[in-house]
Amino acid sequence: MRYLTAGESHGPQLTAIIEGVPSNLPISIEAINEQLARRQKGHGRGRRMQIEKDQVKIVSGVRHGYTTGAPITLVVENRDWTHWQGIMSAEPVEGAEEKRRVSRPRPGHADLNGAIKYHQRDMRNILERSSARETTVRVAVGAVARQLLAAFGIRVGGQVLQINDVVAKRQEVSLDELIARTEESPVRCLDKEAEPLMMAAIDKAKEDGDSLGGIVEVIVEGVPIGLGSHVQWDRKLDGRLAQAVMSIQAFKGVEIGVGFEAAGLPGSKLHDEIIWNEETGYSRKSNRAGGLEGGMTTGMPVVVRGVMKPIPTLYKPLMSVDIDSKEPFSASIERSDSCAVPAASVVAEAVVAWEIANAMCEKFPCDSMDDMVENVRQYRAYTEKY
Ligand code: EPS
């Protein structure tokens, strides 16, 4: 499967075209909208989220509730577009070109590098596309992937582990409990003691005109053994997951399983011992590998973490340079969020769900769900007996 997205933050809409989704997969628009609503929540979002109420429209590839095998086009309209029509118009509009022109790049944003690379004197032409608004439609794509995964009993959850210097205490809970409890938390965090501290840190940052980053974790359960492959670099699923998570706006690092902690552990304390029982076949005593060895799934939960840097738009801006005068100036201020880590955890779930769904489609014949369901069933019976 593959997908592309298009659209600007304040343009008329965001669009995704997905190709390769098997036919006869039931698609619930409501379930896609639920994911879009999850992404819009979270303590620390700015005023834009009060304007938007993201809803998907499917304009191709699905008929009467089922995929047809044709490319699926997802559209999410920007309500804020009504305020930006002249400024963002595809047709020339007299006087509108100079309005909201951005000439003072924000440190940490794509503004300056993009403007130089694409020969733009208005950095709005860069920031509109590099904006994390684009994650809306990636969450919609992920919601389609989740519906494919659900057909095979594969489930995805996520949580926030850290915001700024507030670190959540690890809690060993089932995936069901994790999903239910993080949904109730304004910062998507399981640790009830860390939660108010995270919220207070966000409030303080907002007051100070500052922004905060953090760490999110995604867990996928029910994955068969052997998705991905060891035979070629670009087929290794851990590598693909890392790219998917790293490609989320403002992400600066990715870990799988214990990740960087592995550097400080001897092999005897790191690797997960292999066990076997008659009912379920092979399994592991622990899951420090995060469900991936040799670029392939082990059958244990896939665990991926990502770190998000603080958003570059600051209400008390850092110093920058005006590209017209070359004089030092405060960076431009755009309306923004003070912390989007809880929302980013939903985005991370979406991109991970997509990669796992894609790996399922590579492993099993996937023209139609009919083929795929039968093949997955046979493969699971085989792995249990192996
Ligand atoms: C964003 C800036 C803000 C965020 C936006 C991402 O938008 P605006 O400039 O319109 O206030 O709210 O995020 C979303 C719109 C969204 O849906 O997540 C940025 O510059 O990345």
Side-chain angles (χ1 to χ4, degrees):
M1 300 196 294
R2 57 183 174 159
Y3 77 93
L4 284 175
T5 75
E8 280 78 35
S9 180
H10 304 101
Q13 65 181 46
L14 297 152
T15 310
I17 300 182
I18 317 176
E19 193 186 68
V21 179
S23 67
N24 296 334
L25 172 70
I27 292 291
S28 155
I29 291 182
E30 204 185 321
I32 302 176
N33 286 336
E34 271 169 27
Q35 294 301 324
L36 294 179
R38 291 180 70 224
R39 195 201 67 95
Q40 285 204 270
K41 291 197 292 192
H43 194 70
R45 303 303 309 267
R47 284 195 317 278
R48 174 77 183 269
M49 285 307 100
Q50 289 153 27
I51 300 171
E52 303 298 341
K53 190 174 183 305
D54 295 331
Q55 303 264 296
V56 76
K57 251 200 278 180
I58 302 182
V59 297
S60 78
V62 178
R63 229 182 127 217
H64 302 294
Y66 289 87
T67 56
T68 62
I72 298 171
T73 307
L74 306 175
V75 171
V76 179
E77 286 175 6
N78 288 323
R79 288 193 174 188
D80 207 15
W81 161 243
T82 50
H83 309 122
W84 290 79
Q85 285 190 38
I87 298 163
M88 295 300 294
S89 168
E91 300 272 317
V93 174
E94 203 159 320
E97 212 184 322
E98 276 300 306
K99 263 203 208 161
R100 305 295 307 261
R101 175 171 175 249
V102 177
S103 64
R104 294 167 191 171
R106 289 160 295 172
H109 215 280
D111 303 348
L112 182 61
N113 314 323
I116 292 173
K117 177 177 167 67
Y118 288 95
H119 290 246
Q120 299 298 319
R121 296 301 296 176
D122 180 356
M123 285 180 284
R124 178 159 301 286
N125 287 340
I126 305 305
L127 72 89
E128 284 290 337
R129 180 60 187 156
S130 61
S131 162
R133 176 72 187 148
E134 186 257 356
T135 61
T136 308
V137 79
R138 277 207 265 177
V139 167
V141 169
V144 171
R146 279 172 187 270
Q147 295 184 41
L148 176 68
L149 295 176
F152 303 104
I154 302 172
R155 292 168 323 123
V156 185
Q159 61 178 322
V160 169
L161 294 176
Q162 184 172 342
I163 288 182
N164 190 38
D165 60 355
V166 185
V167 181
K169 253 199 229 96
R170 273 260 160 217
Q171 316 236 336
E172 294 310 321
V173 299
S174 69
L175 188 60
D176 279 336
E177 192 178 335
L178 180 138
I179 291 170
R181 279 176 47 194
T182 50
E183 217 48 47
E184 298 305 314
S185 165
V187 281
R188 297 202 167 276
C189 179
L190 277 180
D191 179 355
K192 281 286 160 212
E193 278 174 35
E195 182 183 280
L197 301 176
M198 288 176 173
M199 290 167 71
I202 294 169
D203 292 341
K204 168 93 175 47
K206 192 172 181 182
E207 237 177 76
D208 295 347
D210 216 334
S211 61
L212 299 180
I215 297 177
V216 303
E217 179 175 273
V218 180
I219 300 153
V220 188
E221 279 190 13
V223 180
I225 297 174
L227 300 187
S229 174
H230 65 293
V231 305
Q232 199 59 264
W233 68 271
D234 60 351
R235 294 179 60 193
K236 291 174 192 268
L237 187 56
D238 39 11
R240 289 182 173 188
L241 286 165
Q243 191 200 357
V245 173
M246 193 69 120
S247 77
I248 302 170
Q249 287 80 342
F251 274 60
K252 296 301 274 184
V254 183
E255 289 186 321
I256 291 179
V258 295
F260 276 58
E261 223 184 290
L265 292 171
S268 57
K269 296 232 163 59
L270 175 72
H271 299 297
D272 305 305
E273 286 187 313
I274 299 171
I275 49 179
W276 184 88
N277 83 41
E278 200 149 348
E279 248 171 63
T280 53
Y282 292 97
S283 157
R284 305 301 167 102
K285 278 194 197 163
S286 53
N287 187 28
R288 287 183 285 269
L292 283 143
E293 284 174 343
M296 290 172 283
T297 49
T298 62
M300 296 295 284
V302 170
V303 182
V304 188
R305 273 186 298 285
V307 55
M308 185 190 196
K309 70 183 180 186
I311 288 168
T313 306
L314 304 177
Y315 282 95
K316 273 206 196 124
L318 292 173
M319 286 309 286
S320 177
V321 170
D322 189 290
I323 60 167
D324 297 333
S325 66
K326 309 288 190 288
E327 293 292 323
F329 266 107
S330 297
S332 77
I333 302 175
E334 286 271 318
R335 180 184 55 192
S336 192
D337 310 312
S338 38
C339 179
V341 174
S345 110
V346 177
V347 179
E349 286 179 38
V351 300
V352 166
W354 169 266
E355 288 307 323
I356 303 287
N358 199 22
M360 285 290 287
C361 285
E362 284 175 358
K363 174 89 186 79
F364 303 103
C366 64
D367 283 340
S368 75
M369 285 304 283
D370 315 66
D371 299 336
M372 205 171 167
V373 166
E374 180 51 24
N375 272 275
V376 173
R377 193 191 58 72
Q378 280 177 19
Y379 181 75
R380 279 194 163 133
Y382 151 78
T383 53
E384 274 159 30
K385 285 219 195 75
Y386 176 86

